[in-house]
């Protein structure tokens, strides 16, 4: 045993991703005295600008958006009591198929080895006991999420560290419930075409394949406030429309699949640090 604090490192693609998938665990473990490190890979410059102006529209300034989103990210981290924020500041690549995917300096165009080397240095510095990122498909196919997954797994191979490693996910039962809530708020929402419906059906995992269910209900208010701190992107954050009470009911359980473990902790588990304390 050492005096080094137990440490959680979450590797995310954009400002606001930290709150959506891991806001609960970041807040919960911070409250338990665990050091929480957030690595945000991109500057978020493909987000909405002031007044909701969209990327590619007249008046959209990626540099100004990135600056605004940096300030919002810091506010979110304050809400979640994140111990350490590290920003790699790669250019936001935008959604799959956007021209920004091909822009020089975009995260999607960055060699995996380059991003992984920078992340490996942070891992050697913080020596995380738990690392959380996305699965191979970036949960839903976003190029920056996929790239965050790639550099995280490559960085782990570059170090001699053996943390528990988790990928964020959602139970299929939860995805079905999410669809029902979406239709409740948008009754005139058209049914997705068969291709979109098939793609949606592949998001997440069957409930029995999820290894780790962490109850963060007590911290759902912080999670909501952290999302709300990203005010410039509010139009795109559906969860804020639920209000705090409904949000807590739906978003209070955060789920993961464990992909690396040296502790032998049994699964399913209800604690990312099971076997470490």
């Amino acid at each position: 045993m050492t005096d080094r604090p137990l440490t959680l490192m979450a590797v995310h693609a954009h400002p606001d991703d930290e709150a959506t998938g891991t806001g609960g665990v970041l807040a919960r473990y911070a409250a338990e005295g665990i050091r929480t490190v957030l690595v945000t890979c991109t500057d978020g410059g493909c987000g909405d600008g002031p007044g909701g102006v969209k990327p590619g529209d007249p008046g959209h300034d990626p540099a100004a958006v990135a600056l605004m989103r940096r300030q919002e990210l810091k506010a979110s981290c304050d809400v979640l009591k994140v111990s350490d924020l590290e920003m790699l500041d790669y250019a936001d690549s935008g959604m799959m198929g956007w021209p920004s995917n091909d822009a020089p300096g975009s995260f999607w165009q960055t060699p995996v080895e380059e991003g992984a080397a920078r992340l490996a240095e942070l891992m050697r510095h913080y020596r995380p006991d738990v690392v959380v990122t996305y699965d191979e498909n970036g949960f839903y196919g976003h190029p920056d999420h996929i790239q965050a997954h790639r550099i995280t797994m490559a960085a782990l191979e570059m170090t001699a560290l053996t943390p528990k490693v988790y990928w964020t996910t959602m139970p299929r039962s939860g995805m079905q419930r999410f669809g029902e809530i979406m239709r409740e708020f948008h009754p005139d929402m058209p049914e997705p075409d068969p291709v979109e419906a098939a793609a949606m059906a592949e998001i997440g995992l069957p409930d029995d394949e999820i290894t780790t269910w962490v109850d963060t209900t007590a911290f759902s208010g912080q999670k909501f406030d952290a999302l709300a701190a990203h005010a410039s992107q509010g139009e795109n954050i559906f969860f804020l429309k639920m209000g705090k009470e409904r949000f807590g009911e739906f978003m209070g359980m955060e789920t993961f699949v464990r992909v690396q473990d040296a502790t032998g902790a049994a699964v399913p588990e209800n604690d990312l640090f099971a076997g470490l304390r």
Side-chain angles (χ1 to χ4, degrees):
M1 299 297 289
T2 71
D3 292 332
R4 185 180 64 83
L6 284 172
T7 300
L8 165 66
M9 175 180 282
V11 183
H12 281 291
H14 312 99
D16 78 28
D17 290 332
E18 80 289 339
T20 306
T22 57
V25 292
L26 287 169
R28 170 180 161 169
Y29 290 123
E32 293 177 7
I34 288 171
R35 181 168 61 177
T36 53
V37 180
L38 171 63
V39 181
T40 301
C41 296
T42 80
D43 60 10
C46 285
D48 288 358
V53 62
K54 303 297 182 185
D57 286 351
H60 186 276
D61 180 351
V65 172
L67 178 60
M68 175 175 60
R69 298 196 72 185
R70 175 187 290 267
Q71 295 165 345
E72 292 175 340
L73 177 60
K74 290 178 178 177
S76 171
C77 287
D78 286 345
V79 171
L80 298 173
K81 309 299 182 188
V82 168
S83 308
D84 300 270
L85 170 62
E86 299 282 355
M87 301 186 70
L88 300 185
D89 268 337
Y90 290 108
D92 190 341
S93 309
M95 299 295 285
M96 190 67 82
W98 285 13
S100 48
N101 294 174
D102 301 320
S106 72
F107 191 35
W108 188 237
Q109 291 299 314
T110 298
V112 169
E113 296 77 13
E114 176 191 320
R118 293 181 63 195
L119 182 57
E121 281 302 304
L122 293 175
M123 289 180 174
R124 293 185 189 105
H125 174 71
Y126 288 107
R127 303 186 64 81
D129 301 281
V130 172
V131 173
V132 176
T133 192
Y134 315 99
D135 62 20
E136 304 101 316
N137 192 46
F139 185 59
Y140 69 96
H142 193 295
D144 288 331
H145 291 222
I146 295 170
Q147 190 77 328
H149 162 86
R150 290 174 177 171
I151 73 164
T152 301
M153 303 312 291
L156 287 163
E157 290 187 6
M158 292 178 179
T159 72
L161 304 174
T162 57
K164 297 179 79 175
V165 180
Y166 294 89
W167 297 342
T168 57
T169 190
M170 177 79 84
R172 295 269 168 84
S173 61
M175 291 299 298
Q176 180 179 353
R177 188 173 167 214
F178 177 61
E180 293 167 355
I181 293 173
M182 285 279 285
R183 284 188 288 275
E184 176 186 332
F185 279 85
H186 302 285
D188 55 349
M189 184 173 68
E191 289 293 324
D193 67 46
V195 174
E196 287 182 358
M200 285 291 292
E202 293 300 312
I203 293 177
L205 288 173
D207 291 33
D208 61 1
E209 292 182 19
I210 292 174
T211 63
T212 312
W213 304 69
V214 184
D215 186 355
T216 63
T217 305
F219 302 91
S220 60
Q222 278 177 260
K223 182 173 176 173
F224 184 94
D225 290 343
L227 270 176
H230 297 279
S232 68
Q233 309 305 307
E235 182 182 329
N236 305 317
I237 304 176
F238 167 77
F239 302 109
L240 295 175
K241 298 178 174 66
M242 296 181 180
K244 273 193 176 180
E245 184 174 347
R246 292 288 301 278
F247 180 87
E249 293 170 1
F250 180 66
M251 298 290 284
M253 184 72 71
E254 292 186 349
T255 50
F256 307 86
V257 58
R258 192 175 81 190
V259 296
Q260 179 176 302
D261 171 62
T263 69
V267 293
E269 59 188 0
N270 61 11
D271 179 8
L272 297 178
F273 288 84
L276 292 169
R277 55 180 179 172

